Amino acid sequence: MYLNHSVVTFNCTMSYKRKNRLPLDSYFQGILNGDKVILSQAITLSESTLSEDQELATALIDKLLPHTGNSIRVGITGVPGVGKSSFIEALGKQLTSQGKKLAILAIDPSSQKSKGSILGDKTRMEQLSTDSLAYIRPSATHDTLGGVANKTREAMLLCEAAGYEVIFIETVGVGQSEVAVKGMVDFFLLLMLAGAGDELQGIKKGIMEMADGIAITKADGDNIKYSKIAKAEYTNALHLFPPSYSGWYPEVHLCSSVTKDGIENVWNMILKQNKFLKENDFFNANREEQNLQWMNEIIIDQLKNRFYSNDDIKSKLQLIEKDIRERKISPKNAAMVLLQSYLKN
Ligand SMILES: Nc1nc2c(ncn2[C@@H]2O[C@H](COP(=O)(O)OP(=O)(O)OP(=O)(O)O)[C@@H](O)[C@H]2O)c(=O)[nH]1
Ligand SMILES: [Mg+2]
């Protein structure tokens, strides 16, 4: 173990009473027992910015690590209104009716400033929000997307330890948050609408390239014929991309959250890819790679924070920024001067 847990526990014992925190073992047992209240408290703990909370959360996650990893992790993205929440509700109900435990997490870039929209989603996911086999957690709030992503990864591990077999991570398809989600899931599902045009959907080529599968939503009523055309178009478009490292070819399916047609096909595609990745050993390799990536992100995040919150750097930065604007020093040289000064500190 790299972290001295006994010290952590001791420190935490001092403070948990004051802040209503539980001892490490209560979180640990509660989560292994699948207690939703304790799970929520543990996720809140991991989102806390207090250093003693962070120490306790880190110790908890390390202790739970052997009980994590046993889920199918699915990222779900698509522009606002494409039908993400309705799809999750429809597929989620099918899964819980088969007795599967499902956790729904979110990465919502807008929640960096305000509370995320997934809180509103709880009302849109009416049936799942009262389903004992489902657990819905709004997006973490943090100053940076990296911070939100980090907290979501921790929440995912905590949910896995609590016995959730399927994890959905929902994100709004408008920017970088997709890259963050892609970096923490086994299957990245892109929801698209028929007939809306790529520009209108704001979906960038890069996001389509990341997708392991596309589901064309709202394929019901008059929309069915347009959805079929869209399916052919997206299938062709996907063929233009180079094959993924794993050798998996993304599929395109139609579905409707209203009629429930095709919902099962989307799930079967996810299961098929899962089996494919496990058979060619890519499944574990991908997760290992994601873990290394996670560690690197935290290192970079921490170094950046320390650098920019350093008082000496703060004062030097102001002066050197002026010199850059006046072209007295090149940006590269300025960066080197600041870094050298920081490293000497
Ligand atoms: N006809 C039809 N309407 C649907 C379907 N799925 C969703 N809708 C409607 O589309 C609208 C948006 O659905 P949501 O599930 O809230 O979409 P979302 O992608 O979660 O939206 P945001 O959370 O705002 O990004 C709602 O009015 C739904 O009733 C579908 O399969 N068929
Ligand atoms: Mg939604």
Side-chain angles (χ1 to χ4, degrees):
M1 274 296 137
Y2 300 102
L3 221 136
N4 189 339
H5 286 169
S6 59
V7 174
V8 169
T9 319
F10 173 72
N11 284 343
C12 299
T13 315
M14 304 247 291
S15 54
Y16 75 82
K17 281 188 193 121
R18 186 163 47 88
K19 287 192 302 301
N20 240 354
R21 296 303 186 211
L22 302 172
L24 178 65
D25 220 48
S26 303
Y27 286 113
F28 181 73
Q29 285 305 333
I31 287 178
L32 289 187
N33 291 339
D35 185 323
K36 276 189 190 177
V37 174
I38 299 218
L39 173 63
S40 293
Q41 289 171 348
I43 296 176
T44 303
L45 181 80
S46 89
E47 290 172 356
S48 162
T49 49
L50 295 175
S51 63
E52 58 263 52
D53 285 348
Q54 276 310 304
E55 284 175 9
L56 181 55
T58 306
L60 175 65
I61 289 168
D62 266 19
K63 199 169 155 104
L64 286 169
L65 219 48
H67 305 276
T68 65
N70 301 318
S71 78
I72 298 183
R73 304 168 176 175
V74 183
I76 297 175
T77 193
V79 294
V82 71
K84 296 179 291 297
S85 306
S86 309
F87 172 81
I88 290 172
E89 167 102 340
L91 175 55
K93 278 312 285 182
Q94 290 193 4
L95 295 175
T96 59
S97 71
Q98 296 163 15
K100 289 205 161 58
K101 281 181 75 180
L102 163 72
I104 298 145
L105 309 172
I107 290 194
D108 180 354
S110 66
S111 74
Q112 282 164 238
K113 294 197 185 79
S114 59
K115 268 279 169 199
S117 66
I118 203 167
L119 271 183
D121 270 355
K122 275 206 177 189
T123 50
R124 280 187 230 165
M125 294 192 256
E126 241 166 66
Q127 296 184 45
L128 279 181
S129 58
T130 55
D131 190 325
S132 64
L133 292 178
Y135 177 76
I136 305 176
R137 176 81 185 187
S139 180
T141 50
H142 198 279
D143 291 343
T144 64
L145 175 62
V148 175
N150 182 26
K151 300 298 159 204
T152 307
R153 278 169 154 140
E154 291 184 346
M156 178 167 78
L157 295 182
L158 293 169
C159 287
E160 286 179 344
Y164 289 89
E165 305 155 272
V166 180
I167 316 268
F168 286 162
I169 303 181
E170 179 186 346
T171 190
V172 182
V174 287
Q176 322 125 296
S177 58
E178 282 82 3
V179 181
V181 174
K182 172 81 180 173
M184 62 179 81
V185 297
D186 309 314
F187 193 102
F188 189 63
L189 179 67
L190 174 60
L191 302 190
M192 298 282 266
L193 285 168
D198 285 356
E199 317 84 68
L200 204 81
Q201 297 195 36
I203 290 292
K204 297 194 184 70
K205 190 170 153 269
I207 294 176
M208 245 179 101
E209 202 167 349
M210 288 192 303
D212 296 300
I214 292 180
I216 298 171
T217 54
K218 307 191 191 182
D220 43 51
D222 290 347
N223 215 18
I224 294 183
K225 58 176 181 287
Y226 302 113
S227 302
K228 284 183 177 159
I229 298 169
K231 179 177 174 177
E233 283 173 2
Y234 290 133
T235 306
N236 283 337
L238 286 172
H239 277 128
L240 299 176
F241 295 131
S244 64
Y245 289 124
S246 67
W248 167 256
Y249 283 96
E251 296 176 3
V252 184
H253 291 277
L254 305 183
C255 66
S256 165
S257 305
V258 173
T259 64
K260 315 282 187 282
D261 285 338
I263 299 285
E264 204 181 336
N265 295 340
V266 179
W267 180 243
N268 285 337
M269 160 173 67
I270 294 169
L271 291 180
K272 186 173 149 192
Q273 182 253 19
N274 216 261
K275 190 163 172 273
F276 176 86
L277 295 189
K278 283 181 174 158
E279 278 168 4
N280 75 3
D281 292 334
F282 193 84
F283 187 84
N284 284 331
N286 185 44
R287 284 199 173 179
E288 281 165 18
E289 211 39 58
Q290 289 178 339
N291 277 337
L292 300 185
Q293 178 72 23
W294 185 5
M295 179 191 73
N296 284 322
E297 280 170 24
I298 292 174
I299 291 174
I300 290 166
D301 225 45
Q302 291 277 334
L303 285 175
K304 227 164 110 178
N305 284 345
R306 283 175 198 197
F307 178 82
Y308 285 108
S309 56
N310 180 287
D311 287 336
D312 179 52
I313 292 297
K314 275 196 221 164
S315 61
K316 286 193 171 125
L317 199 60
Q318 277 194 333
L319 298 172
I320 220 160
E321 277 177 356
K322 188 167 167 286
D323 287 348
I324 293 175
R325 287 180 209 278
E326 292 170 3
R327 299 207 207 166
K328 288 183 183 156
I329 188 169
S330 71
K332 183 188 173 190
N333 198 6
M336 298 316 286
V337 167
L338 288 173
L339 283 169
Q340 272 162 13
S341 160
Y342 178 73
L343 291 173
K344 268 190 214 142
N345 271 340

